[in-house]
Amino acid sequence: MADAVAKLSEYDWIIFTSVNTVDFIMEAVRNAGGDSRSFSSCRIAAVGTATAAALEPHGLVPDLVPEKFVSNEVAEALIGKFEMKGARIFLPQADLARPNLAQALMAEGASVDNIVAYQTVPAKEIPNVDLSDIDAVTFTSTSTASNFINFVGCEAMQRFTEHGIVASIGPVTTEAIRALGVPVELEAEEHTIPGLADALVQYFSKRST
């Protein structure tokens, strides 16, 4: 990552896929003695309004924010609006990120440096959770879903859904939850934490009437 940050001027695009990538890349830029001016020669794409908002304190305004807040939409938007053949792209992501975004861009002729910006690891200890007292379990990423479900067990989560609901932040997380054998009752239309909160408010408001 340090090598990529040192040559930011050589990239045509940098794609921020989460608030975490913004935080870690900006830290790496500062450690290299740079600042927001280091991005002056490359365009910026951001997955979602939260990621775009995280760029604002650094004086960075993304050139592209797709309407839907998933990585596939970034690829489609870039391919649909800009020439990707020969483009050099810096794609910092979590170690568990799916390769589909990089693959889609490379299929169009782009050169993609897909570099791990941070690692996602489960907590060493998770407090005991009595699922019988809970109405909803919310998942904001594939890693939170897989780590939590593996911790409590698929059978316990399936029993939970007999009285409670599983709520997902978006389609990628929903797919991961269902792949573990757990049904998803609710998916946020806007794939952000505020969007998930709004979906829960609407769901329980309708259920209480």
Side-chain angles (χ1 to χ4, degrees):
M1 187 170 69
D3 290 340
V5 165
K7 59 180 183 181
L8 280 175
S9 61
E10 299 178 16
Y11 291 108
D12 298 298
W13 283 91
I14 177 170
I15 302 174
F16 291 101
T17 57
S18 69
V19 172
N20 281 336
T21 56
V22 173
D23 292 340
F24 283 105
I25 291 303
M26 294 310 302
E27 180 183 1
V29 169
R30 288 192 297 270
N31 289 341
D35 54 27
S36 58
R37 291 171 294 183
S38 303
F39 300 88
S40 60
S41 62
C42 62
R43 289 174 168 174
I44 297 172
V47 179
T49 52
T51 304
L55 291 166
E56 289 182 7
H58 304 288
L60 300 174
V61 178
D63 299 276
L64 177 69
V65 181
E67 293 183 5
K68 294 183 179 179
F69 306 156
V70 290
S71 57
N72 284 348
E73 291 291 327
V74 175
E76 292 180 11
L78 282 169
I79 293 167
K81 296 180 180 180
F82 303 95
E83 176 60 57
M84 287 292 101
K85 187 174 182 180
R88 295 206 60 189
I89 298 174
F90 177 28
L91 177 58
Q93 291 184 289
D95 58 332
L96 301 180
R98 301 193 306 171
N100 57 318
L101 175 53
Q103 290 171 347
L105 295 172
M106 288 189 289
E108 295 296 318
S111 173
V112 181
D113 285 347
N114 188 6
I115 295 171
V116 173
Y118 63 97
Q119 292 180 314
T120 305
V121 295
K124 293 181 179 179
E125 295 182 11
I126 301 178
N128 290 328
V129 177
D130 184 358
L131 293 175
S132 64
D133 292 333
I134 294 174
D135 296 304
V137 175
T138 63
F139 292 116
T140 57
S141 67
T142 57
S143 58
T144 57
S146 60
N147 288 335
F148 184 79
I149 293 171
N150 288 333
F151 174 76
V152 302
C154 287
E155 291 185 4
M157 283 300 298
Q158 289 166 351
R159 288 194 301 272
F160 163 76
T161 58
E162 295 174 3
H163 74 272
I165 69 164
V166 171
S168 165
I169 198 168
V172 176
T173 301
T174 297
E175 180 183 345
I177 297 168
R178 288 175 174 160
L180 292 169
V182 176
V184 176
E185 175 75 16
L186 182 66
E187 182 180 285
E189 291 186 11
E190 180 182 297
H191 311 321
T192 62
I193 290 176
L196 181 57
D198 288 342
L200 285 162
V201 169
Q202 293 177 24
Y203 178 89
F204 284 106
S205 295
K206 290 178 181 179
R207 202 169 77 169
S208 62
T209 56

